[in-house]
Amino acid sequence: MNTIAVIQARMGSTRLPGKVMLPLDGKHVLERDIERVSRAESINKTVVATSVSTADDIVERYAAQCGATVYRGSEPDVLGRMYNAATEVSADVVVRITGDCPLISPQGIDAVVHRLQESDVDYVSNTVKQTLPRGLDVEAFTYESFSTVERRAKSREEREHVTLHYLRNQDEFDIGNVSDEEIFDAPHLHGRDDLRLTLDEADDYELLRRIYEEMPTDEPLEIEDVVTVIDEKGWAGINQNIQQKHPPEPE
């Protein structure tokens, strides 16, 4: 099966404009996203889906330099952009990642994809029940079911938030969830939805910047080590006051 990771990324974030180009120990956030997603064994190709806005010319340039395929489409119709990107590369399975997750776990991606393939369901995530830190969010769904979603999702909210139609219509789709304990053996990673490893606001960036400066390496950071450092340094409070949007801001 052709399993395609599609990273949604754009410069126009309302809370932290240009965040995908912020530096983290010599590499920008987008490059961190791409290198980590591409490490997942289940992924055949990584695509960055950005908008046709001129502000996103820089996203196209650097995504291509980092080895990703680039698709450009509508900025407000994120669902359409995502669907067209998946169609263009003949995806059988679509793995949705947002561009504000520079610590996304390759292990977590593989666990979600494997569950989708083994269970013969339409949609699997590790966030149907949130037990992991924000920023490790992975969703995988079949292209066939996504085609149904693309046809049926009509509201502005469902076009902005790509998978909302799945979650609002769980009686019509087979939905699966992967828990923290199914991904990570380390007990200090279980039930850690108190942590934010995503990038929405300046305090999120401050935490991520400290992590990457504290743990310089040419290899992608291991989440077990990242959380250990956060706990040892007492850094969890840096961004704890940020209110997570539900659903989160579209990329």
Side-chain angles (χ1 to χ4, degrees), residues 12 18-19 51 67 80 107 114 132 138 162 180 191 214 220 225 236:
K19 62 184 178 180
S51 87
Q107 185 178 352
H114 292 157
L132 289 164
V138 180
V162 174
D180 49 11
E214 180 71 20
D225 298 333

Side-chain angles (χ1 to χ4, degrees), residues 103-142:
L103 286 171
I104 193 70
S105 166
Q107 185 178 352
I109 293 171
D110 287 337
V112 170
V113 172
H114 292 157
R115 174 62 59 80
L116 182 80
Q117 295 173 337
E118 293 167 0
S119 303
D120 192 28
V121 295
D122 299 313
Y123 169 99
V124 175
S125 178
N126 57 10
T127 61
V128 175
K129 181 179 180 182
Q130 186 81 41
T131 57
L132 289 164
R134 293 282 178 184
L136 303 187
D137 305 5
V138 180
E139 297 173 291
F141 35 91
T142 64

Side-chain angles (χ1 to χ4, degrees), residues 15-153:
R15 291 198 281 179
L16 192 61
K19 62 184 178 180
V20 295
M21 287 293 124
L22 290 173
L24 290 172
D25 190 33
K27 297 181 180 181
H28 46 68
V29 168
L30 181 61
E31 184 173 359
R32 296 293 184 187
D33 291 334
I34 293 169
E35 68 180 5
R36 295 183 70 84
V37 170
S38 299
R39 288 294 184 105
E41 295 178 358
S42 58
I43 299 301
N44 299 122
K45 183 189 288 288
T46 301
V47 177
V48 171
T50 193
S51 87
V52 293
S53 168
T54 56
D56 289 322
D57 290 352
I58 191 170
V59 175
E60 178 180 20
R61 172 176 295 184
Y62 283 102
Q65 287 183 7
C66 295
T69 299
V70 180
Y71 176 84
R72 300 188 70 167
S74 170
E75 185 166 21
D77 182 10
V78 190
L79 195 163
R81 187 197 330 156
M82 183 93 169
Y83 178 77
N84 291 333
T87 301
E88 190 166 276
V89 294
S90 303
D92 296 308
V93 171
V94 184
V95 180
R96 177 179 177 249
I97 308 292
T98 55
D100 51 8
C101 298
L103 286 171
I104 193 70
S105 166
Q107 185 178 352
I109 293 171
D110 287 337
V112 170
V113 172
H114 292 157
R115 174 62 59 80
L116 182 80
Q117 295 173 337
E118 293 167 0
S119 303
D120 192 28
V121 295
D122 299 313
Y123 169 99
V124 175
S125 178
N126 57 10
T127 61
V128 175
K129 181 179 180 182
Q130 186 81 41
T131 57
L132 289 164
R134 293 282 178 184
L136 303 187
D137 305 5
V138 180
E139 297 173 291
F141 35 91
T142 64
Y143 179 81
E144 182 179 7
S145 68
F146 194 33
S147 297
T148 300
V149 169
E150 204 283 331
R151 290 194 307 271
R152 293 181 180 176

Side-chain angles (χ1 to χ4, degrees), residues 185-227:
D185 293 329
H188 71 294
L189 288 179
H190 298 164
R192 295 310 303 269
D193 54 322
D194 60 310
L195 296 180
R196 287 181 57 86
L197 301 179
T198 189
L199 178 57
D200 283 329
E201 298 190 11
D203 286 344
D204 291 327
Y205 179 60
E206 176 61 20
L207 175 60
L208 292 166
R209 184 191 64 77
R210 290 192 191 187
I211 290 168
Y212 271 97
E213 289 186 359
E214 180 71 20
M215 307 173 69
T217 176
D218 292 331
E219 296 297 318
L221 299 177
E222 296 291 340
I223 295 301
E224 292 91 334
D225 298 333
V226 168
V227 174

